[in-house]
Amino acid sequence: MTFSMKRVNAIFQKDLKDILRNSAVSLTASMPLIIAFVMGKMSDDIAIDGHYMVINIAMVTVGSFIQCCLIAEEKEKNTLRGLMLSPASTLEILGGKSLLSLIAMMIIVIIGAFLTGYHPEQIVVIAIAILFTSIFFIGLGTLLGLLAKSVMEASVIIMPFMIVFGFGSMATMFADKYPILKVMDYTPNTQLAAIAVKVESGIGLGGVWLNFGIIALWIIGVFVLTSIVFKKKRMD
């Protein structure tokens, strides 16, 4: 079976119509922009951690949350089963379901960075890092959406992940007192911020390969789990 952009676009168009009718999702997606606007008004010189708190919140609330709700809504309406049994391949289904989340997330990240006044050095490296990290967050949203039974349950199940990946980097400040918090140094959101800090100091793409490698491991892990759960749901 060949990959069909028509099928991907059909799934994307359906998701776009669904999301425009969901005011709760739209309100949640606006949260990073509100935070960015307030931060931008409070200070003209925001630290790099402040910029990336907004970016990470945008990725987990828009990328993961919207993706989770879209998948859960399909399950709740029993339309996901129809997609699974349709001629569309797994890649086409997951690609189509992820496209809206990815586009929305990139728009919110860009607007949020503008509101906080973030002007990164080596913007190409930063753009690659953000896009790469976003793959993890969309994969996380897909996995949680497959595990949730309804949109309401999806809204609850995503909350701990929104806290950990949105504000988790702040926990590293207490790592000396609570050593267990040092694991937060290896989460994708913290690695993204670490890439930004290195780039600001003049280090190029060759100096951040280890950070990209850690994020890649998270991506592989979440997509292996997603593939297993997706195939199980398809068999069921």
Side-chain angles (χ1 to χ4, degrees):
M1 184 185 295
T2 58
F3 183 83
S4 172
M5 278 304 299
K6 279 189 175 181
R7 285 194 281 260
V8 171
N9 184 57
I11 296 171
F12 169 77
Q13 293 292 338
K14 176 186 177 299
D15 285 346
L16 182 59
K17 292 175 183 177
D18 289 342
I19 212 72
L20 290 175
R21 292 195 293 263
N22 194 324
S23 57
V25 171
S26 301
L27 183 62
T28 304
S30 67
M31 185 175 73
L33 297 182
I34 296 171
I35 295 173
F37 177 78
V38 173
M39 288 180 64
K41 290 295 183 182
M42 288 176 62
S43 175
D44 294 327
D45 187 21
I46 300 173
I48 194 74
D49 288 342
H51 292 299
Y52 276 84
M53 184 183 72
V54 173
I55 290 172
N56 285 319
I57 291 172
M59 287 200 287
V60 73
T61 55
V62 181
S64 296
F65 179 75
I66 287 181
Q67 183 74 355
C68 184
C69 287
L70 286 173
I71 298 292
E73 186 174 23
E74 293 280 11
K75 286 185 65 181
E76 191 173 12
K77 294 179 178 178
N78 289 320
T79 51
L80 184 61
R81 186 177 299 276
L83 276 176
M84 290 177 171
L85 298 176
S86 73
S89 67
T90 300
L91 184 60
E92 288 167 349
I93 294 171
L94 295 182
K97 300 299 292 182
S98 302
L99 194 56
L100 177 61
S101 302
L102 178 62
I103 292 173
M105 179 168 51
M106 289 297 104
I107 291 173
I108 298 296
V109 166
I110 291 170
I111 296 174
F114 174 78
L115 291 174
T116 58
Y118 180 45
H119 304 289
E121 299 289 337
Q122 302 186 49
I123 191 169
V124 174
V125 178
I126 293 299
I128 293 171
I130 290 175
L131 184 61
F132 193 59
T133 308
S134 70
I135 297 172
F136 164 77
F137 284 104
I138 289 175
L140 176 66
T142 303
L143 174 62
L144 296 177
L146 289 170
L147 293 173
K149 296 178 181 178
S150 64
V151 176
M152 183 64 71
E153 187 173 320
S155 302
V156 174
I157 201 173
I158 194 71
M159 283 301 171
F161 297 92
M162 290 176 68
I163 294 170
V164 170
F165 294 115
F167 301 95
S169 58
M170 298 172 64
T172 58
M173 295 186 295
F174 304 98
D176 291 337
K177 187 175 181 180
Y178 304 102
I180 193 172
L181 294 178
K182 289 182 179 179
V183 299
M184 297 301 299
D185 288 334
Y186 300 97
T187 56
N189 53 308
T190 305
Q191 291 299 310
L192 176 61
I195 290 172
V197 171
K198 289 182 179 181
V199 167
E200 289 296 313
S201 66
I203 296 174
L205 187 60
V208 295
W209 64 269
L210 181 59
N211 304 97
F212 273 102
I214 293 172
I215 296 171
L217 291 176
W218 280 91
I219 292 171
I220 292 168
V222 78
F223 274 94
V224 166
L225 290 174
T226 300
S227 179
I228 292 171
V229 174
F230 185 85
K231 288 178 181 177
K232 184 178 183 301
K233 297 295 181 183
R234 196 168 196 165
M235 292 289 290
D236 292 343

